[in-house]
Amino acid sequence: MALEEAEREQREMLRTPTPDGPQPGVKPGVGWVVNQILPDWKLPNVPDGNGTSTAAFVLIDMTDDDGPSVLGTQGKNCPTSCRPLRATRARFPQRPYTRKQRFLFAEDEKHSPLVDAALEDLEDPTLKAEVIHHRLFISKMRRTARHMSHLRRKFLAYQEEAWITHELLANANAAFRITHMINSDIGGGFGSGAHLSHRVRLEGMDILEDPWREEPTRREAFCEWCKREDHDTGFCHFLRKCQFCGQCGHVEDKCNIPHRNCHHGLTCKVPVDHVNLEKTRCPTRTRRPARLGVRFT
């Protein structure tokens, strides 16, 4: 009951034309002008809120950090609404602009002051606002691109370090030593694996013995970069750089010239299960040992 009484008093207050209440049709204050630029902008009627009508007054803000915006209202002390101020469409459809026409709106060019002066003389705030939007988004795009470039350099550095760890582990014969230890002690519940449950040991050994299980468990539903569902974002070939040939656009397993960084007299850098191992001639005299680990029996 108390809530209904409060709502009834609020409706009565809205209907009463007091200096502090809604005053439809009255100019809200300094900067507000009669709406002649957005005839299609509909706002709820005041005071009852039934139906909509064209916003009576608008206030344009060209200095908003997110781009030019416009406030609309039906009068003084009436509810206001905000929306981005965009260019009004021409009467007839127009073809997309050419590169030369797009260059007209570029910022900080020698012709930019001429364009700004023309916009002032045209006295079309929506057109001026759209040019500001264009320049603002171009500026944000450039800043974001520089930030992305910095992040990508860090990403490629991490990728290279991870690849180096693979090479160091291979040089230490880590796969053979670890799988041998699992087969002899850990899998049987001895040594450091004594505290592991039988289920954990069994599931782990099943995974290691599965010849088709070669990739880590997926941690994302889809790649955040290319939106494909067959890999995580960190393994997207659009982001990574192949450690065999140094080119971008593919992962190491799909490289067509994997022996590019192999050198005469050294061990081949390409694993024996690579699909293109024999596609090109390796300049080395020796190859990495074929034994990648010990198969459980």
Side-chain angles (χ1 to χ4, degrees):
M1 294 297 293
L3 181 60
E4 295 178 357
E5 184 68 22
E7 292 178 350
R8 184 162 55 252
E9 291 179 358
Q10 180 68 18
R11 288 195 296 269
E12 291 296 332
M13 183 182 298
L14 291 175
R15 294 193 181 97
T16 305
T18 62
D20 297 330
Q23 301 179 44
V26 179
K27 185 177 179 180
V30 178
W32 291 86
V33 296
V34 177
N35 181 18
Q36 296 179 343
I37 61 174
L38 299 171
D40 297 331
W41 193 8
K42 304 297 183 180
L43 296 177
N45 292 324
V46 178
D48 52 14
N50 295 327
T52 59
S53 59
T54 302
F57 301 95
V58 293
L59 175 64
I60 297 175
D61 181 9
M62 293 288 187
T63 61
D64 195 315
D65 293 339
D66 294 327
S69 59
V70 57
L71 293 173
T73 186
Q74 299 292 18
K76 187 176 182 180
N77 297 330
C78 294
T80 60
S81 181
C82 181
R83 58 182 281 185
L85 183 59
R86 310 309 295 261
T88 303
R89 290 182 176 272
R91 184 177 180 182
F92 300 103
Q94 305 293 316
R95 292 186 64 88
Y97 276 164
T98 62
R99 287 185 296 176
K100 181 64 175 180
Q101 290 172 318
R102 295 196 298 269
F103 176 61
L104 177 67
F105 309 107
E107 189 176 15
D108 297 331
E109 297 290 343
K110 292 184 177 180
H111 67 274
S112 298
L114 304 180
V115 175
D116 296 339
L119 289 172
E120 294 294 338
D121 292 342
L122 286 172
E123 297 182 352
D124 184 351
T126 65
L127 190 59
K128 179 180 178 180
E130 197 62 45
V131 173
I132 295 176
H133 273 297
H134 173 74
R135 293 173 175 174
L136 177 65
F137 290 135
I138 291 294
S139 177
K140 289 184 176 181
M141 182 182 70
R142 288 177 173 173
R143 290 198 303 268
T144 304
R146 290 193 294 268
H147 183 57
M148 291 173 60
S149 176
H150 173 69
L151 292 178
R152 189 165 187 271
R153 287 195 296 271
K154 292 180 62 176
F155 172 81
L156 294 179
Y158 294 149
Q159 180 194 355
E160 184 175 358
E161 290 296 332
W163 190 261
I164 291 175
T165 62
H166 288 161
E167 293 185 340
L168 294 177
L169 288 170
N171 292 333
N173 200 18
F176 170 77
R177 293 164 61 187
I178 292 176
T179 52
H180 179 72
M181 180 59 65
I182 292 175
N183 186 42
S184 59
D185 291 339
I186 307 300
F190 302 103
S192 299
H195 69 283
L196 300 176
S197 66
H198 177 72
R199 176 183 176 185
V200 170
R201 296 197 303 271
L202 184 62
E203 290 179 348
M205 295 181 68
D206 287 343
I207 292 295
L208 293 177
E209 292 176 352
D210 186 353
W212 303 107
R213 184 65 183 273
E214 299 177 339
E215 298 293 336
T217 302
R218 292 282 309 282
R219 302 182 185 275
E220 304 173 36
F222 59 90
C223 174
E224 294 286 348
W225 189 263
C226 70
K227 305 304 180 183
R228 292 181 58 176
E229 299 179 356
D230 58 351
H231 61 266
D232 289 339
T233 307
F235 296 91
C236 182
H237 63 275
F238 289 111
L239 294 175
R240 295 169 61 91
K241 181 176 71 173
C242 177
Q243 298 300 309
F244 291 141
C245 67
Q247 299 177 359
C248 299
H250 63 271
V251 294
E252 290 79 11
D253 293 340
K254 304 297 182 182
C255 183
N256 289 323
I257 47 176
H259 297 291
R260 185 170 185 176
N261 289 325
C262 294
H263 301 286
H264 178 73
L266 300 178
T267 303
C268 176
K269 295 181 177 295
V270 184
V272 296
D273 64 341
H274 197 283
V275 294
N276 294 319
L277 178 67
E278 305 296 341
K279 185 175 182 179
T280 58
R281 181 179 179 275
C282 180
T284 67
R285 294 182 177 179
T286 60
R287 293 194 181 277
R288 190 179 301 278
R291 183 174 57 185
L292 300 179
V294 176
R295 180 177 175 83
F296 293 106
T297 58

